Amino acid sequence: MKNPYQRKKQPELVRSALIDNATQLILEQGVEQTSLQAVADATDITKGGLLHHFPTKMALLAAVYEKTILDLEAEIEVLIANDPHSYGRFTRAYIISSINGLRNKIPNQQIISAMLNTPGLSQIWSQWLEKKLALFKEDSLELELIRLTTDGIWFNALAGISLHNLTKIEQYLIAQTHNIQK
């Protein structure tokens, strides 16, 4: 183990490692049980070093949340770019990304869900979603119901409820987005 006081300074790598380790600890222990000291230990730096990058636990949690949303957004943007039908494409990408995340055990939904009840963080998600809905003009009742159904799928999967017809549900929801009139 290197002495944390003598290591070469690499602030972007340290910051990224802190976010990654905090994410892993949140997935294992939950938001409340994840301490700054545990994140520092997992990153092999001092707690003071962590506080240099993130002066509060809330600042670290916000960085974890923002990175999670950016990862989700990157996947959604690829799906949107490959969708030849403009109306409903954000919702279709949201469905596919969400269900792929469940199939492949990608922790985005777990992190987003875990932090929705954390005061000061829920608005990060809601602002991101509102911005996307405005950008793609997907404010119809039908598309909203489809996205809410998708969120219900997340919730059920995170609660450990088996989803026996996940592929059929995904196909059905995507088909519904094509049946909506603007």
Side-chain angles (χ1 to χ4, degrees):
M1 179 167 119
K2 289 185 178 180
N3 182 335
Y5 298 103
Q6 296 177 345
R7 87 171 88 226
K8 183 179 175 187
K9 305 291 182 201
Q10 296 176 313
E12 289 307 313
L13 289 176
V14 171
R15 183 177 168 81
S16 179
L18 288 165
I19 292 169
D20 290 345
N21 288 323
T23 300
Q24 190 58 42
L25 288 168
I26 290 166
L27 290 169
E28 293 169 4
Q29 303 173 2
V31 175
E32 293 298 319
Q33 288 70 37
T34 299
S35 70
L36 292 178
Q37 187 63 57
V39 175
D41 291 346
T43 312
D44 196 26
I45 67 168
T46 64
K47 186 175 176 183
L50 180 149
L51 292 170
H52 173 76
H53 294 277
F54 301 102
T56 65
K57 183 176 178 180
M58 185 57 71
L60 177 59
L61 292 176
V64 167
Y65 208 42
E66 289 166 358
K67 181 186 181 298
T68 301
I69 291 172
L70 287 174
D71 291 347
L72 177 68
E73 181 175 47
E75 181 182 0
I76 286 174
E77 286 178 0
V78 168
L79 293 166
I80 287 170
N82 293 321
D83 189 335
H85 307 285
S86 61
Y87 191 70
R89 66 183 172 178
F90 171 78
T91 299
R92 283 187 293 281
Y94 187 80
I95 295 164
I96 294 166
S97 175
S98 297
I99 292 177
N100 282 344
L102 294 173
R103 280 190 188 111
N104 300 317
K105 308 270 190 261
I106 299 169
N108 290 342
Q109 289 94 342
Q110 289 174 274
I111 292 293
I112 291 167
S113 297
M115 293 191 174
L116 278 176
N117 291 328
T118 304
L121 294 180
S122 60
Q123 78 274 8
I124 294 172
W125 172 255
S126 62
Q127 289 169 354
W128 176 81
L129 186 57
E130 291 296 329
K131 184 176 100 176
K132 292 299 176 186
L133 295 176
L135 177 66
F136 291 99
K137 296 177 179 48
E138 294 196 13
D139 56 359
S140 74
L141 174 63
E142 294 87 352
L143 289 176
E144 184 172 4
L145 288 170
I146 291 168
R147 287 188 304 275
L148 289 170
T149 300
T150 302
D151 292 343
I153 293 167
W154 282 23
F155 179 77
N156 280 282
L158 294 174
I161 297 169
S162 296
L163 299 168
H164 304 288
N165 296 306
L166 193 56
T167 299
K168 288 181 181 178
I169 292 168
E170 177 184 27
Q171 292 168 346
Y172 176 82
L173 292 174
I174 289 171
Q176 294 309 304
T177 68
H178 290 290
N179 295 332
I180 298 168
Q181 301 296 318
K182 275 201 231 189

